[in-house]
């Protein structure tokens, strides 16, 4: 059963107006990830993926991620639209955040823009932001969307949303 979308205010978009299947869009938003007082990623060249009921996920170009923080993690998964994902640990000094990033080294044609980009779960980091606004992680332990005041739900991942 589809939930009732939250009201949309000025300069907001509803995840219930996002398409299904998902799409990838270039954005010029300022995306940053910070952890242990270090900027790990900083870009204005992200690709966002949007899909009905999900807040956007932001894919950051590898060239805009600190060169010494990514370590390939074990395992992969398959997305019917994007292809096979590989996972990344983030290493900051002696601290390891396991499987907090994912990428598509050989994405489907519709998502070719994601090649050489990495997306990250927001929750494990000290600060993830879009245009200076600190994001709220998408609910649940599976989804990687970033919630800001510019997007309204309800969002997939909350209790009872499994059948959406």
């Amino acid at each position: 059963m589809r939930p009732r979308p939250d009201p949309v205010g000025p300069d907001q978009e509803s995840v219930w107006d996002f398409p299904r299947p998902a799409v990838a869009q270039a954005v010029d938003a300022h995306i940053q990830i910070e952890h242990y007082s270090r900027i790990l990623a900083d870009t204005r060249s992200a690709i966002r993926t949007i899909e009905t009921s999900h807040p956007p996920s932001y894919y950051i170009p590898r060239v805009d991620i600190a060169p010494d923080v990514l370590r390939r993690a074990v395992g992969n998964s398959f997305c019917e639209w994007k292809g096979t994902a590989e996972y990344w640990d983030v290493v900051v000094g002696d601290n390891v955040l396991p499987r907090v990033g994912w990428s598509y080294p050989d994405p489907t044609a519709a998502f070719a823009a994601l090649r050489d980009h990495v997306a990250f779960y927001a929750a494990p980091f000290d600060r993830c932001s879009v245009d200076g606004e600190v994001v709220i992680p998408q609910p649940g332990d599976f989804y990687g969307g970033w919630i800001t005041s510019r997007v309204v739900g309800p969002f997939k991942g909350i209790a009872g949303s499994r059948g959406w």
Side-chain angles (χ1 to χ4, degrees), residues 84-107:
T84 300
E86 59 186 24
Y87 289 87
W88 297 94
D89 298 337
V90 169
V91 181
V92 183
D94 294 333
N95 300 289
V96 177
L97 301 174
R99 293 176 58 96
V100 296
W102 69 95
S103 63
Y104 293 90
D106 189 24

Side-chain angles (χ1 to χ4, degrees), residues 6-29:
D6 294 336
V8 178
D11 297 320
Q12 289 183 317
E13 53 189 339
S14 173
V15 297
W16 294 96
D17 293 331
F18 288 169
R20 186 165 176 88
V23 297
Q25 304 172 325
V27 293
D28 61 1

Side-chain angles (χ1 to χ4, degrees), residues 10 14 16-17 23 32 44 51 60 64 83 86 92 99 109 122 132 134 142 147 151 164:
S14 173
W16 294 96
D17 293 331
V23 297
Q32 279 192 322
R44 290 185 182 275
E51 175 184 352
I60 299 169
D64 292 334
E86 59 186 24
V92 183
R99 293 176 58 96
V134 176
F142 179 74
I147 301 170
V151 63
W164 294 356

Side-chain angles (χ1 to χ4, degrees), residues 62-136:
R62 294 276 310 253
V63 298
D64 292 334
I65 300 169
D68 58 343
V69 300
L70 291 178
R71 180 178 72 194
R72 180 72 169 85
V74 175
N76 57 38
S77 63
F78 181 75
C79 171
E80 63 188 305
W81 298 308
K82 297 179 212 92
T84 300
E86 59 186 24
Y87 289 87
W88 297 94
D89 298 337
V90 169
V91 181
V92 183
D94 294 333
N95 300 289
V96 177
L97 301 174
R99 293 176 58 96
V100 296
W102 69 95
S103 63
Y104 293 90
D106 189 24
T108 63
F111 288 89
L114 299 183
R115 185 175 280 110
D116 299 321
H117 288 64
V118 180
F120 297 91
Y121 294 103
F125 296 99
D126 292 338
R127 184 176 185 276
C128 295
S129 64
V130 177
D131 287 333
E133 180 181 351
V134 176
V135 306
I136 298 169

Side-chain angles (χ1 to χ4, degrees), residues 12 23 30 33-34 49 54-55 57 92 96 105-106 119 125 135 155 161:
Q12 289 183 317
V23 297
H30 186 202
I33 299 175
E34 183 178 345
T49 57
H54 295 266
S57 294
V92 183
V96 177
D106 189 24
F125 296 99
V135 306
F155 304 106
S161 66

